[in-house]
Amino acid sequence: MALAIFDLDDTLIDGDCASLWSQHMANLGWVDGESFVRKDTELMALYAEGKLAMEDYMAFSLAPLVGRTAEEVEFVVGPFVEDVIEPLIHSDATRCLARHREDGDRLLIISASAHFLVSAIAERLGVEEVLAIELEEQHGCYSGRTRGVLTYRDGKVTRLQAWLEEHGESLDGAHFYSDSRNDLPLLTQVPHPRVVNPDPTLRAHAEGAGWPVLSWR
């Protein structure tokens, strides 16, 4: 049994769940919609360029959750995943997940989005194990801060290595599927990197390295 590791945003789904969640919070009236969505777009443009400080994005995107309980947010996330995310799941992604299950591989999603989003989407995909950005809670409510190492760029490698040690796993025979230049640190660590609908920088790297480039719809 080998690991089959998947990025989430723009890999398994056609979109970024964090940005879609920002729009959803605007629709709910949790934020000033126009200015919040505009700021989200600006920050995600930096992400696409490989220039985003994830700490800045998380501080911005978690502000509307301060003082809200995990249960309150979970109550809203369920319909969000059903109505907004499910239609964006790539059919090719579900087939790939099914193939790895049939092969007996262990499935893991590792994402630079918040854990409450990633875990809810993973559940819809039938994936039980997730590494994502963990949120701090104080007095039963979200504080607006993260905790631990962020699963972003080299942080994905750090968190995955800790997970491997905890679970007695290794990267022998592992696959990792991703769309983003920001995942190059982890893509270079696995025996079977798989590039999905890549950004231009990742496509160029993949073609130079002879990695498979997949087009998922």
Side-chain angles (χ1 to χ4, degrees), residues 1-6 94 96-102 104-110 125-130 163 169 177:
M1 180 177 68
L3 281 177
I5 309 166
F6 296 84
T94 59
C96 182
L97 288 166
R99 286 195 299 272
H100 280 290
R101 286 192 190 95
E102 290 170 2
D105 295 331
R106 188 171 185 173
L107 306 181
L108 173 68
I109 293 175
I110 182 165
L125 291 165
V127 178
E128 297 180 359
E129 298 185 280
V130 163
W163 185 90
E169 288 282 2
Y177 298 81

Side-chain angles (χ1 to χ4, degrees), residues 18-211:
S19 288
L20 293 165
W21 173 247
S22 290
Q23 180 62 62
H24 193 66
M25 288 193 291
N27 296 341
L28 291 170
W30 287 11
V31 296
D32 181 316
E34 183 177 349
S35 62
F36 193 85
V37 171
R38 185 190 315 116
K39 181 65 172 178
D40 184 274
T41 301
E42 292 171 359
L43 290 170
M44 291 309 295
L46 293 175
Y47 173 85
E49 296 171 4
K51 299 177 181 177
L52 177 67
M54 186 55 69
E55 294 81 1
D56 293 343
Y57 184 82
M58 295 308 297
F60 157 76
S61 64
L62 294 179
L65 303 187
V66 174
R68 300 183 189 274
T69 65
E71 291 76 16
E72 178 185 359
V73 174
E74 182 181 351
F75 181 78
V76 175
V77 168
F80 163 75
V81 171
E82 182 176 354
D83 296 340
V84 177
I85 300 298
E86 279 198 14
L88 301 177
I89 295 172
H90 289 305
S91 296
D92 291 314
T94 59
R95 285 190 284 270
C96 182
L97 288 166
R99 286 195 299 272
H100 280 290
R101 286 192 190 95
E102 290 170 2
D103 291 341
D105 295 331
R106 188 171 185 173
L107 306 181
L108 173 68
I109 293 175
I110 182 165
S111 171
S113 292
H115 193 279
F116 72 89
L117 288 173
V118 180
S119 59
I121 298 168
E123 183 178 357
R124 299 283 175 160
L125 291 165
V127 178
E128 297 180 359
E129 298 185 280
V130 163
L131 290 173
I133 295 180
E134 302 286 348
L135 307 188
E136 180 187 82
E137 294 181 51
Q138 289 186 340
H139 311 296
C141 298
Y142 287 125
S143 68
R145 293 185 291 271
T146 60
R147 58 183 178 85
V149 176
L150 304 187
T151 42
Y152 178 57
R153 293 182 181 163
D154 292 307
K156 282 193 175 183
V157 177
T158 300
R159 289 281 304 279
L160 179 59
Q161 289 294 343
W163 185 90
L164 294 171
E165 292 178 13
E166 178 184 354
H167 292 271
E169 288 282 2
S170 77
L171 290 179
D172 292 346
H175 293 71
F176 177 43
Y177 298 81
S178 178
D179 72 294
S180 175
R181 68 167 78 183
N182 292 298
D183 281 336
L184 276 168
L186 183 49
L187 284 162
T188 58
Q189 296 294 310
V190 298
H192 303 293
R194 297 289 185 263
V195 171
V196 179
N197 302 342
D199 63 46
T201 297
L202 181 56
R203 179 179 292 275
H205 186 101
E207 290 174 350
W211 296 348

